[in-house]
Amino acid sequence: MRAQHTGIVYKILMTIMLVIIVALIYFLAGGRTARIGTSRSVTSPNFIPAQQVATDENSDDEFSDGLGQPDAVSRNAPDEFGAGVVSVETFNRDINDDGRPDRITRTRVENGTPHFYYEYKIEINERDGFRDITPAGFRTTEGESCALQKLQFSFRPDFHVTKVSRKWADSWDTPTPAEKTVYGIYDGNLEITETSQLKSICNVAELL
């Protein structure tokens, strides 16, 4: 009888221990989840994961010139009037499919007003050095609310650059007819391959 009683007590104790172990596992897992959630909630609002940066760069809400992430960046402070070169970004891209990385440079120039601009320089990597093939006028014209000239780079299926521009009239926000010019690599140079007339518009970025 005593042995039977001892066996029952043993089974009860084992059951209680099993319940305690399961409860501990449950609460430990729940506590860990809560701590992870708390950690995420206090993350700095200025932090953007790399995946989000890539998504934002291609967002339809903001114009992209198609160059992607730069390979090198140099930043400078403007002068006391808010003018000057504030950034120089370098992009190493093989634009003529010869296996050598060519170079595209994007320079942002401020002039102390909302009307800044980006200037582009395109260089072919030849055996004896880089050769500048930038066409004339390869820069943007940026107003406070409307851009008068924008450029967009494409690398597939072949490298080409699309420039959309319009003339200024009366004010920065007055729509005028726009023109599209497409440039492609021809005989080692960047030449015009297509031109067309577009509708009147304020911000030409909307046409790219």
mmCIF file of all heavy atoms in Angstrom, residues 57-60 62-68 95 104 106 118 120 122 137-142 149-156 158-165 179-184 190 193 198 204-208:
data_model
loop_
_atom_site.group_PDB
_atom_site.id
_atom_site.type_symbol
_atom_site.label_atom_id
_atom_site.label_comp_id
_atom_site.label_asym_id
_atom_site.label_seq_id
_atom_site.Cartn_x
_atom_site.Cartn_y
_atom_site.Cartn_z
ATOM 1 N N GLU A 57 14.494 54.932 -52.780
ATOM 2 C CA GLU A 57 15.174 55.519 -53.924
ATOM 3 C C GLU A 57 14.370 55.318 -55.203
ATOM 4 O O GLU A 57 14.387 56.151 -56.087
ATOM 5 C CB GLU A 57 16.556 54.878 -54.080
ATOM 6 C CG GLU A 57 17.368 55.541 -55.162
ATOM 7 C CD GLU A 57 18.674 54.838 -55.364
ATOM 8 O OE1 GLU A 57 18.806 53.690 -54.924
ATOM 9 O OE2 GLU A 57 19.566 55.441 -55.966
ATOM 10 N N ASN A 58 13.656 54.219 -55.302
ATOM 11 C CA ASN A 58 12.893 53.925 -56.503
ATOM 12 C C ASN A 58 11.421 54.265 -56.355
ATOM 13 O O ASN A 58 10.602 53.859 -57.156
ATOM 14 C CB ASN A 58 13.031 52.425 -56.838
ATOM 15 C CG ASN A 58 14.474 52.061 -57.127
ATOM 16 O OD1 ASN A 58 15.190 52.832 -57.740
ATOM 17 N ND2 ASN A 58 14.904 50.901 -56.664
ATOM 18 N N SER A 59 11.099 55.014 -55.289
ATOM 19 C CA SER A 59 9.700 55.344 -55.046
ATOM 20 C C SER A 59 9.175 56.275 -56.120
ATOM 21 O O SER A 59 9.880 57.136 -56.637
ATOM 22 C CB SER A 59 9.579 56.016 -53.659
ATOM 23 O OG SER A 59 8.286 56.537 -53.483
ATOM 24 N N ASP A 60 7.906 56.085 -56.452
ATOM 25 C CA ASP A 60 7.274 56.944 -57.456
ATOM 26 C C ASP A 60 7.042 58.351 -56.929
ATOM 27 O O ASP A 60 6.739 59.262 -57.682
ATOM 28 C CB ASP A 60 5.931 56.337 -57.890
ATOM 29 C CG ASP A 60 6.131 55.045 -58.675
ATOM 30 O OD1 ASP A 60 7.223 54.888 -59.253
ATOM 31 O OD2 ASP A 60 5.209 54.219 -58.698
ATOM 32 N N GLU A 62 9.225 60.320 -55.554
ATOM 33 C CA GLU A 62 10.399 61.174 -55.672
ATOM 34 C C GLU A 62 11.149 60.841 -56.950
ATOM 35 O O GLU A 62 11.363 59.668 -57.274
ATOM 36 C CB GLU A 62 11.312 60.981 -54.455
ATOM 37 C CG GLU A 62 12.508 61.916 -54.432
ATOM 38 C CD GLU A 62 13.312 61.756 -53.164
ATOM 39 O OE1 GLU A 62 12.852 61.048 -52.260
ATOM 40 O OE2 GLU A 62 14.403 62.336 -53.088
ATOM 41 N N PHE A 63 11.563 61.870 -57.675
ATOM 42 C CA PHE A 63 12.253 61.662 -58.942
ATOM 43 C C PHE A 63 13.631 61.040 -58.714
ATOM 44 O O PHE A 63 14.354 61.403 -57.783
ATOM 45 C CB PHE A 63 12.408 62.997 -59.664
ATOM 46 C CG PHE A 63 13.214 62.894 -60.931
ATOM 47 C CD1 PHE A 63 12.625 62.436 -62.098
ATOM 48 C CD2 PHE A 63 14.552 63.227 -60.949
ATOM 49 C CE1 PHE A 63 13.362 62.321 -63.265
ATOM 50 C CE2 PHE A 63 15.298 63.122 -62.106
ATOM 51 C CZ PHE A 63 14.686 62.665 -63.268
ATOM 52 N N SER A 64 13.992 60.095 -59.558
ATOM 53 C CA SER A 64 15.321 59.490 -59.529
ATOM 54 C C SER A 64 15.972 59.673 -60.885
ATOM 55 O O SER A 64 15.332 59.449 -61.920
ATOM 56 C CB SER A 64 15.223 58.003 -59.190
ATOM 57 O OG SER A 64 16.480 57.366 -59.389
ATOM 58 N N ASP A 65 17.243 60.051 -60.886
ATOM 59 C CA ASP A 65 17.941 60.206 -62.171
ATOM 60 C C ASP A 65 18.485 58.885 -62.690
ATOM 61 O O ASP A 65 19.136 58.843 -63.729
ATOM 62 C CB ASP A 65 19.055 61.246 -62.066
ATOM 63 C CG ASP A 65 20.163 60.844 -61.093
ATOM 64 O OD1 ASP A 65 20.122 59.707 -60.570
ATOM 65 O OD2 ASP A 65 21.061 61.670 -60.841
ATOM 66 N N GLY A 66 18.229 57.781 -61.973
ATOM 67 C CA GLY A 66 18.583 56.461 -62.457
ATOM 68 C C GLY A 66 19.991 56.002 -62.153
ATOM 69 O O GLY A 66 20.354 54.879 -62.515
ATOM 70 N N LEU A 67 20.796 56.810 -61.488
ATOM 71 C CA LEU A 67 22.184 56.436 -61.238
ATOM 72 C C LEU A 67 22.347 55.486 -60.060
ATOM 73 O O LEU A 67 23.360 54.803 -59.943
ATOM 74 C CB LEU A 67 23.041 57.687 -61.014
ATOM 75 C CG LEU A 67 23.303 58.536 -62.255
ATOM 76 C CD1 LEU A 67 24.086 59.793 -61.890
ATOM 77 C CD2 LEU A 67 24.046 57.739 -63.319
ATOM 78 N N GLY A 68 21.384 55.445 -59.165
ATOM 79 C CA GLY A 68 21.487 54.559 -58.018
ATOM 80 C C GLY A 68 22.437 55.093 -56.957
ATOM 81 O O GLY A 68 22.635 56.303 -56.821
ATOM 82 N N ILE A 95 29.539 51.935 -69.268
ATOM 83 C CA ILE A 95 28.458 52.407 -70.134
ATOM 84 C C ILE A 95 28.622 52.002 -71.594
ATOM 85 O O ILE A 95 27.693 52.145 -72.389
ATOM 86 C CB ILE A 95 28.300 53.941 -70.030
ATOM 87 C CG1 ILE A 95 29.530 54.657 -70.571
ATOM 88 C CG2 ILE A 95 28.026 54.352 -68.590
ATOM 89 C CD1 ILE A 95 29.384 56.171 -70.603
ATOM 90 N N ILE A 104 30.808 58.474 -64.074
ATOM 91 C CA ILE A 104 29.810 59.550 -64.136
ATOM 92 C C ILE A 104 29.894 60.329 -62.833
ATOM 93 O O ILE A 104 29.858 59.744 -61.740
ATOM 94 C CB ILE A 104 28.389 58.986 -64.328
ATOM 95 C CG1 ILE A 104 28.312 58.150 -65.608
ATOM 96 C CG2 ILE A 104 27.369 60.117 -64.369
ATOM 97 C CD1 ILE A 104 26.983 57.432 -65.798
ATOM 98 N N ARG A 106 28.285 63.437 -60.515
ATOM 99 C CA ARG A 106 27.129 64.313 -60.289
ATOM 100 C C ARG A 106 27.493 65.337 -59.211
ATOM 101 O O ARG A 106 27.818 64.982 -58.095
ATOM 102 C CB ARG A 106 25.914 63.496 -59.850
ATOM 103 C CG ARG A 106 24.660 64.336 -59.594
ATOM 104 C CD ARG A 106 23.470 63.429 -59.286
ATOM 105 N NE ARG A 106 23.648 62.719 -58.021
ATOM 106 C CZ ARG A 106 22.920 61.658 -57.657
ATOM 107 N NH1 ARG A 106 22.000 61.162 -58.472
ATOM 108 N NH2 ARG A 106 23.133 61.060 -56.490
ATOM 109 N N TYR A 118 22.027 70.334 -60.523
ATOM 110 C CA TYR A 118 22.982 69.230 -60.607
ATOM 111 C C TYR A 118 23.704 69.329 -61.943
ATOM 112 O O TYR A 118 23.087 69.525 -62.987
ATOM 113 C CB TYR A 118 22.281 67.874 -60.523
ATOM 114 C CG TYR A 118 21.774 67.505 -59.155
ATOM 115 C CD1 TYR A 118 20.410 67.549 -58.874
ATOM 116 C CD2 TYR A 118 22.645 67.097 -58.146
ATOM 117 C CE1 TYR A 118 19.929 67.194 -57.619
ATOM 118 C CE2 TYR A 118 22.181 66.745 -56.891
ATOM 119 C CZ TYR A 118 20.816 66.795 -56.636
ATOM 120 O OH TYR A 118 20.351 66.442 -55.400
ATOM 121 N N TYR A 120 26.352 67.185 -64.499
ATOM 122 C CA TYR A 120 26.833 65.834 -64.761
ATOM 123 C C TYR A 120 28.055 65.853 -65.672
ATOM 124 O O TYR A 120 28.137 66.660 -66.598
ATOM 125 C CB TYR A 120 25.741 64.995 -65.420
ATOM 126 C CG TYR A 120 24.528 64.766 -64.546
ATOM 127 C CD1 TYR A 120 23.466 65.666 -64.559
ATOM 128 C CD2 TYR A 120 24.439 63.657 -63.706
ATOM 129 C CE1 TYR A 120 22.346 65.468 -63.767
ATOM 130 C CE2 TYR A 120 23.327 63.443 -62.910
ATOM 131 C CZ TYR A 120 22.282 64.357 -62.945
ATOM 132 O OH TYR A 120 21.168 64.159 -62.155
ATOM 133 N N ILE A 122 30.442 62.907 -67.791
ATOM 134 C CA ILE A 122 30.526 61.508 -68.216
ATOM 135 C C ILE A 122 31.877 61.281 -68.871
ATOM 136 O O ILE A 122 32.256 61.991 -69.816
ATOM 137 C CB ILE A 122 29.386 61.173 -69.196
ATOM 138 C CG1 ILE A 122 28.037 61.462 -68.539
ATOM 139 C CG2 ILE A 122 29.467 59.704 -69.619
ATOM 140 C CD1 ILE A 122 26.860 61.326 -69.479
ATOM 141 N N GLY A 137 25.517 71.402 -71.872
ATOM 142 C CA GLY A 137 24.249 71.606 -71.177
ATOM 143 C C GLY A 137 23.766 70.422 -70.374
ATOM 144 O O GLY A 137 22.566 70.289 -70.124
ATOM 145 N N PHE A 138 24.688 69.541 -69.939
ATOM 146 C CA PHE A 138 24.287 68.364 -69.170
ATOM 147 C C PHE A 138 24.166 68.715 -67.694
ATOM 148 O O PHE A 138 24.996 68.340 -66.872
ATOM 149 C CB PHE A 138 25.281 67.229 -69.401
ATOM 150 C CG PHE A 138 24.663 66.047 -70.098
ATOM 151 C CD1 PHE A 138 23.930 66.218 -71.255
ATOM 152 C CD2 PHE A 138 24.805 64.764 -69.596
ATOM 153 C CE1 PHE A 138 23.362 65.139 -71.914
ATOM 154 C CE2 PHE A 138 24.248 63.682 -70.245
ATOM 155 C CZ PHE A 138 23.524 63.873 -71.407
ATOM 156 N N ARG A 139 23.103 69.448 -67.369
ATOM 157 C CA ARG A 139 22.835 69.867 -65.997
ATOM 158 C C ARG A 139 21.331 70.057 -65.841
ATOM 159 O O ARG A 139 20.586 70.150 -66.826
ATOM 160 C CB ARG A 139 23.549 71.178 -65.663
ATOM 161 C CG ARG A 139 23.371 72.265 -66.696
ATOM 162 C CD ARG A 139 23.697 73.634 -66.147
ATOM 163 N NE ARG A 139 22.657 74.120 -65.243
ATOM 164 C CZ ARG A 139 22.700 75.306 -64.630
ATOM 165 N NH1 ARG A 139 23.729 76.108 -64.806
ATOM 166 N NH2 ARG A 139 21.722 75.693 -63.837
ATOM 167 N N THR A 140 20.899 70.082 -64.613
ATOM 168 C CA THR A 140 19.479 70.325 -64.357
ATOM 169 C C THR A 140 19.247 71.807 -64.106
ATOM 170 O O THR A 140 20.191 72.573 -63.877
ATOM 171 C CB THR A 140 18.990 69.524 -63.132
ATOM 172 O OG1 THR A 140 19.603 70.052 -61.935
ATOM 173 C CG2 THR A 140 19.320 68.044 -63.263
ATOM 174 N N THR A 141 17.987 72.192 -64.156
ATOM 175 C CA THR A 141 17.576 73.536 -63.753
ATOM 176 C C THR A 141 16.421 73.352 -62.782
ATOM 177 O O THR A 141 15.331 72.963 -63.191
ATOM 178 C CB THR A 141 17.134 74.376 -64.962
ATOM 179 O OG1 THR A 141 18.184 74.410 -65.939
ATOM 180 C CG2 THR A 141 16.808 75.801 -64.541
ATOM 181 N N GLU A 142 16.697 73.572 -61.517
ATOM 182 C CA GLU A 142 15.753 73.236 -60.450
ATOM 183 C C GLU A 142 15.142 74.493 -59.839
ATOM 184 O O GLU A 142 15.842 75.319 -59.272
ATOM 185 C CB GLU A 142 16.462 72.446 -59.344
ATOM 186 C CG GLU A 142 17.304 71.283 -59.834
ATOM 187 C CD GLU A 142 16.500 70.005 -60.011
ATOM 188 O OE1 GLU A 142 15.289 70.021 -59.707
ATOM 189 O OE2 GLU A 142 17.086 69.005 -60.429
ATOM 190 N N GLN A 149 14.628 71.662 -66.285
ATOM 191 C CA GLN A 149 15.416 70.672 -67.023
ATOM 192 C C GLN A 149 15.835 69.555 -66.073
ATOM 193 O O GLN A 149 16.317 69.807 -64.974
ATOM 194 C CB GLN A 149 16.652 71.308 -67.662
ATOM 195 C CG GLN A 149 17.505 70.325 -68.481
ATOM 196 C CD GLN A 149 18.441 71.018 -69.429
ATOM 197 O OE1 GLN A 149 18.020 71.641 -70.408
ATOM 198 N NE2 GLN A 149 19.744 70.917 -69.164
ATOM 199 N N LYS A 150 15.637 68.302 -66.522
ATOM 200 C CA LYS A 150 16.029 67.128 -65.746
ATOM 201 C C LYS A 150 16.656 66.109 -66.682
ATOM 202 O O LYS A 150 16.344 66.060 -67.881
ATOM 203 C CB LYS A 150 14.827 66.490 -65.043
ATOM 204 C CG LYS A 150 14.124 67.400 -64.053
ATOM 205 C CD LYS A 150 14.920 67.572 -62.770
ATOM 206 C CE LYS A 150 14.696 66.419 -61.829
ATOM 207 N NZ LYS A 150 15.330 66.653 -60.502
ATOM 208 N N LEU A 151 17.511 65.259 -66.112
ATOM 209 C CA LEU A 151 18.137 64.182 -66.867
ATOM 210 C C LEU A 151 17.888 62.857 -66.167
ATOM 211 O O LEU A 151 17.839 62.799 -64.931
ATOM 212 C CB LEU A 151 19.643 64.393 -67.015
ATOM 213 C CG LEU A 151 20.100 65.533 -67.942
ATOM 214 C CD1 LEU A 151 20.231 66.837 -67.171
ATOM 215 C CD2 LEU A 151 21.423 65.188 -68.604
ATOM 216 N N GLN A 152 17.746 61.810 -66.963
ATOM 217 C CA GLN A 152 17.555 60.468 -66.405
ATOM 218 C C GLN A 152 18.424 59.474 -67.175
ATOM 219 O O GLN A 152 18.395 59.426 -68.405
ATOM 220 C CB GLN A 152 16.089 60.055 -66.470
ATOM 221 C CG GLN A 152 15.775 58.799 -65.660
ATOM 222 C CD GLN A 152 14.282 58.579 -65.557
ATOM 223 O OE1 GLN A 152 13.619 58.326 -66.557
ATOM 224 N NE2 GLN A 152 13.738 58.677 -64.350
ATOM 225 N N PHE A 153 19.195 58.672 -66.426
ATOM 226 C CA PHE A 153 20.133 57.714 -67.000
ATOM 227 C C PHE A 153 19.511 56.315 -67.011
ATOM 228 O O PHE A 153 18.874 55.908 -66.044
ATOM 229 C CB PHE A 153 21.429 57.686 -66.190
ATOM 230 C CG PHE A 153 22.220 58.966 -66.266
ATOM 231 C CD1 PHE A 153 21.820 60.093 -65.560
ATOM 232 C CD2 PHE A 153 23.376 59.043 -67.035
ATOM 233 C CE1 PHE A 153 22.545 61.278 -65.623
ATOM 234 C CE2 PHE A 153 24.110 60.223 -67.105
ATOM 235 C CZ PHE A 153 23.687 61.343 -66.394
ATOM 236 N N SER A 154 19.717 55.598 -68.108
ATOM 237 C CA SER A 154 19.250 54.220 -68.228
ATOM 238 C C SER A 154 20.406 53.356 -68.719
ATOM 239 O O SER A 154 21.198 53.782 -69.567
ATOM 240 C CB SER A 154 18.073 54.115 -69.205
ATOM 241 O OG SER A 154 16.968 54.877 -68.750
ATOM 242 N N PHE A 155 20.489 52.130 -68.184
ATOM 243 C CA PHE A 155 21.608 51.248 -68.514
ATOM 244 C C PHE A 155 21.177 49.962 -69.219
ATOM 245 O O PHE A 155 22.012 49.167 -69.613
ATOM 246 C CB PHE A 155 22.376 50.907 -67.232
ATOM 247 C CG PHE A 155 22.969 52.109 -66.561
ATOM 248 C CD1 PHE A 155 22.242 52.836 -65.630
ATOM 249 C CD2 PHE A 155 24.247 52.541 -66.874
ATOM 250 C CE1 PHE A 155 22.785 53.957 -65.008
ATOM 251 C CE2 PHE A 155 24.795 53.658 -66.268
ATOM 252 C CZ PHE A 155 24.060 54.372 -65.332
ATOM 253 N N ARG A 156 19.887 49.738 -69.343
ATOM 254 C CA ARG A 156 19.354 48.543 -70.002
ATOM 255 C C ARG A 156 18.274 48.935 -71.003
ATOM 256 O O ARG A 156 17.466 49.818 -70.695
ATOM 257 C CB ARG A 156 18.784 47.573 -68.958
ATOM 258 C CG ARG A 156 19.818 47.009 -68.001
ATOM 259 C CD ARG A 156 20.778 46.055 -68.721
ATOM 260 N NE ARG A 156 21.766 45.478 -67.808
ATOM 261 C CZ ARG A 156 22.936 46.014 -67.537
ATOM 262 N NH1 ARG A 156 23.282 47.166 -68.118
ATOM 263 N NH2 ARG A 156 23.769 45.416 -66.712
ATOM 264 N N ASP A 158 20.547 49.188 -73.459
ATOM 265 C CA ASP A 158 21.783 49.904 -73.770
ATOM 266 C C ASP A 158 21.803 51.215 -72.991
ATOM 267 O O ASP A 158 20.758 51.770 -72.633
ATOM 268 C CB ASP A 158 21.877 50.199 -75.275
ATOM 269 C CG ASP A 158 21.905 48.936 -76.110
ATOM 270 O OD1 ASP A 158 22.709 48.040 -75.804
ATOM 271 O OD2 ASP A 158 21.099 48.836 -77.057
ATOM 272 N N PHE A 159 23.007 51.729 -72.773
ATOM 273 C CA PHE A 159 23.126 52.985 -72.044
ATOM 274 C C PHE A 159 22.573 54.147 -72.874
ATOM 275 O O PHE A 159 22.907 54.309 -74.042
ATOM 276 C CB PHE A 159 24.599 53.262 -71.721
ATOM 277 C CG PHE A 159 24.823 54.615 -71.082
ATOM 278 C CD1 PHE A 159 24.479 54.831 -69.762
ATOM 279 C CD2 PHE A 159 25.361 55.656 -71.813
ATOM 280 C CE1 PHE A 159 24.675 56.070 -69.170
ATOM 281 C CE2 PHE A 159 25.566 56.901 -71.236
ATOM 282 C CZ PHE A 159 25.216 57.109 -69.906
ATOM 283 N N HIS A 160 21.718 54.938 -72.245
ATOM 284 C CA HIS A 160 21.241 56.168 -72.874
ATOM 285 C C HIS A 160 20.798 57.143 -71.793
ATOM 286 O O HIS A 160 20.531 56.757 -70.648
ATOM 287 C CB HIS A 160 20.094 55.898 -73.864
ATOM 288 C CG HIS A 160 18.871 55.291 -73.245
ATOM 289 N ND1 HIS A 160 18.751 53.947 -72.987
ATOM 290 C CD2 HIS A 160 17.704 55.851 -72.841
ATOM 291 C CE1 HIS A 160 17.572 53.688 -72.445
ATOM 292 N NE2 HIS A 160 16.915 54.823 -72.346
ATOM 293 N N VAL A 161 20.746 58.392 -72.155
ATOM 294 C CA VAL A 161 20.348 59.456 -71.230
ATOM 295 C C VAL A 161 19.208 60.242 -71.867
ATOM 296 O O VAL A 161 19.296 60.638 -73.033
ATOM 297 C CB VAL A 161 21.524 60.410 -70.915
ATOM 298 C CG1 VAL A 161 21.104 61.412 -69.841
ATOM 299 C CG2 VAL A 161 22.749 59.628 -70.473
ATOM 300 N N THR A 162 18.162 60.455 -71.100
ATOM 301 C CA THR A 162 17.023 61.242 -71.575
ATOM 302 C C THR A 162 17.020 62.588 -70.863
ATOM 303 O O THR A 162 17.060 62.646 -69.632
ATOM 304 C CB THR A 162 15.690 60.518 -71.302
ATOM 305 O OG1 THR A 162 15.722 59.232 -71.940
ATOM 306 C CG2 THR A 162 14.521 61.317 -71.845
ATOM 307 N N LYS A 163 17.007 63.648 -71.658
ATOM 308 C CA LYS A 163 16.934 65.002 -71.106
ATOM 309 C C LYS A 163 15.592 65.616 -71.502
ATOM 310 O O LYS A 163 15.224 65.622 -72.676
ATOM 311 C CB LYS A 163 18.074 65.877 -71.638
ATOM 312 C CG LYS A 163 18.047 67.310 -71.100
ATOM 313 C CD LYS A 163 19.258 68.115 -71.574
ATOM 314 C CE LYS A 163 19.148 68.474 -73.040
ATOM 315 N NZ LYS A 163 20.253 69.375 -73.471
ATOM 316 N N VAL A 164 14.857 66.105 -70.520
ATOM 317 C CA VAL A 164 13.605 66.808 -70.778
ATOM 318 C C VAL A 164 13.765 68.234 -70.273
ATOM 319 O O VAL A 164 14.173 68.461 -69.124
ATOM 320 C CB VAL A 164 12.409 66.118 -70.093
ATOM 321 C CG1 VAL A 164 11.137 66.910 -70.301
ATOM 322 C CG2 VAL A 164 12.221 64.709 -70.637
ATOM 323 N N SER A 165 13.460 69.205 -71.126
ATOM 324 C CA SER A 165 13.673 70.604 -70.760
ATOM 325 C C SER A 165 12.572 71.482 -71.341
ATOM 326 O O SER A 165 11.879 71.098 -72.283
ATOM 327 C CB SER A 165 15.043 71.077 -71.257
ATOM 328 O OG SER A 165 15.114 70.949 -72.672
ATOM 329 N N GLU A 179 10.635 69.724 -74.344
ATOM 330 C CA GLU A 179 11.292 68.978 -75.408
ATOM 331 C C GLU A 179 12.075 67.828 -74.808
ATOM 332 O O GLU A 179 12.723 67.976 -73.766
ATOM 333 C CB GLU A 179 12.239 69.880 -76.194
ATOM 334 C CG GLU A 179 12.965 69.167 -77.334
ATOM 335 C CD GLU A 179 13.912 70.093 -78.074
ATOM 336 O OE1 GLU A 179 14.726 70.758 -77.409
ATOM 337 O OE2 GLU A 179 13.848 70.150 -79.317
ATOM 338 N N LYS A 180 12.025 66.658 -75.451
ATOM 339 C CA LYS A 180 12.783 65.489 -74.998
ATOM 340 C C LYS A 180 13.932 65.225 -75.956
ATOM 341 O O LYS A 180 13.753 65.213 -77.171
ATOM 342 C CB LYS A 180 11.882 64.254 -74.923
ATOM 343 C CG LYS A 180 12.629 63.002 -74.436
ATOM 344 C CD LYS A 180 11.705 61.812 -74.244
ATOM 345 C CE LYS A 180 11.334 61.178 -75.564
ATOM 346 N NZ LYS A 180 10.608 59.897 -75.388
ATOM 347 N N THR A 181 15.118 65.026 -75.395
ATOM 348 C CA THR A 181 16.303 64.695 -76.176
ATOM 349 C C THR A 181 16.925 63.445 -75.582
ATOM 350 O O THR A 181 17.182 63.380 -74.379
ATOM 351 C CB THR A 181 17.332 65.840 -76.143
ATOM 352 O OG1 THR A 181 16.702 67.065 -76.556
ATOM 353 C CG2 THR A 181 18.503 65.539 -77.068
ATOM 354 N N VAL A 182 17.154 62.446 -76.421
ATOM 355 C CA VAL A 182 17.742 61.185 -75.976
ATOM 356 C C VAL A 182 19.157 61.075 -76.536
ATOM 357 O O VAL A 182 19.387 61.327 -77.731
ATOM 358 C CB VAL A 182 16.900 59.976 -76.419
ATOM 359 C CG1 VAL A 182 17.543 58.668 -75.936
ATOM 360 C CG2 VAL A 182 15.475 60.087 -75.888
ATOM 361 N N TYR A 183 20.103 60.714 -75.666
ATOM 362 C CA TYR A 183 21.507 60.562 -76.050
ATOM 363 C C TYR A 183 21.913 59.096 -75.911
ATOM 364 O O TYR A 183 21.520 58.410 -74.970
ATOM 365 C CB TYR A 183 22.414 61.406 -75.152
ATOM 366 C CG TYR A 183 22.173 62.894 -75.222
ATOM 367 C CD1 TYR A 183 21.137 63.477 -74.497
ATOM 368 C CD2 TYR A 183 22.998 63.720 -75.982
ATOM 369 C CE1 TYR A 183 20.912 64.848 -74.550
ATOM 370 C CE2 TYR A 183 22.785 65.083 -76.038
ATOM 371 C CZ TYR A 183 21.736 65.648 -75.316
ATOM 372 O OH TYR A 183 21.518 67.003 -75.370
ATOM 373 N N GLY A 184 22.727 58.610 -76.838
ATOM 374 C CA GLY A 184 23.260 57.254 -76.775
ATOM 375 C C GLY A 184 24.708 57.213 -77.201
ATOM 376 O O GLY A 184 25.226 58.158 -77.812
ATOM 377 N N LEU A 190 28.909 60.386 -76.906
ATOM 378 C CA LEU A 190 27.510 60.456 -76.511
ATOM 379 C C LEU A 190 26.802 61.417 -77.451
ATOM 380 O O LEU A 190 26.984 62.635 -77.386
ATOM 381 C CB LEU A 190 27.393 60.936 -75.052
ATOM 382 C CG LEU A 190 26.071 60.653 -74.334
ATOM 383 C CD1 LEU A 190 25.741 59.172 -74.328
ATOM 384 C CD2 LEU A 190 26.120 61.180 -72.895
ATOM 385 N N THR A 193 20.282 60.826 -80.286
ATOM 386 C CA THR A 193 19.664 59.784 -81.106
ATOM 387 C C THR A 193 18.185 60.032 -81.362
ATOM 388 O O THR A 193 17.602 59.426 -82.257
ATOM 389 C CB THR A 193 19.809 58.411 -80.418
ATOM 390 O OG1 THR A 193 19.140 58.441 -79.144
ATOM 391 C CG2 THR A 193 21.267 58.062 -80.205
ATOM 392 N N LEU A 198 7.074 67.758 -76.522
ATOM 393 C CA LEU A 198 6.141 67.279 -75.515
ATOM 394 C C LEU A 198 5.158 68.384 -75.137
ATOM 395 O O LEU A 198 5.268 69.513 -75.608
ATOM 396 C CB LEU A 198 6.901 66.794 -74.273
ATOM 397 C CG LEU A 198 7.968 65.708 -74.512
ATOM 398 C CD1 LEU A 198 8.682 65.384 -73.219
ATOM 399 C CD2 LEU A 198 7.343 64.457 -75.104
ATOM 400 N N VAL A 204 9.095 69.457 -65.381
ATOM 401 C CA VAL A 204 9.420 68.504 -66.432
ATOM 402 C C VAL A 204 9.750 67.111 -65.874
ATOM 403 O O VAL A 204 9.727 66.130 -66.632
ATOM 404 C CB VAL A 204 10.584 68.999 -67.304
ATOM 405 C CG1 VAL A 204 10.229 70.301 -68.001
ATOM 406 C CG2 VAL A 204 11.874 69.137 -66.470
ATOM 407 N N ALA A 205 10.022 67.006 -64.579
ATOM 408 C CA ALA A 205 10.298 65.696 -63.985
ATOM 409 C C ALA A 205 9.115 64.759 -64.129
ATOM 410 O O ALA A 205 9.268 63.535 -64.151
ATOM 411 C CB ALA A 205 10.669 65.852 -62.516
ATOM 412 N N GLU A 206 7.930 65.323 -64.257
ATOM 413 C CA GLU A 206 6.727 64.510 -64.402
ATOM 414 C C GLU A 206 6.676 63.798 -65.763
ATOM 415 O O GLU A 206 5.876 62.870 -65.957
ATOM 416 C CB GLU A 206 5.478 65.367 -64.233
ATOM 417 C CG GLU A 206 5.358 66.005 -62.844
ATOM 418 C CD GLU A 206 4.169 66.939 -62.751
ATOM 419 O OE1 GLU A 206 3.329 66.929 -63.668
ATOM 420 O OE2 GLU A 206 4.091 67.692 -61.757
ATOM 421 N N LEU A 207 7.524 64.202 -66.699
ATOM 422 C CA LEU A 207 7.534 63.595 -68.028
ATOM 423 C C LEU A 207 8.570 62.479 -68.156
ATOM 424 O O LEU A 207 8.706 61.870 -69.213
ATOM 425 C CB LEU A 207 7.798 64.660 -69.091
ATOM 426 C CG LEU A 207 6.769 65.805 -69.151
ATOM 427 C CD1 LEU A 207 7.201 66.875 -70.142
ATOM 428 C CD2 LEU A 207 5.390 65.261 -69.519
ATOM 429 N N LEU A 208 9.297 62.210 -67.078
ATOM 430 C CA LEU A 208 10.336 61.163 -67.098
ATOM 431 C C LEU A 208 9.906 59.961 -66.279
ATOM 432 O O LEU A 208 9.063 60.053 -65.420
ATOM 433 C CB LEU A 208 11.658 61.713 -66.575
ATOM 434 C CG LEU A 208 12.373 62.695 -67.503
ATOM 435 C CD1 LEU A 208 13.497 63.398 -66.770
ATOM 436 C CD2 LEU A 208 12.921 61.953 -68.721
#
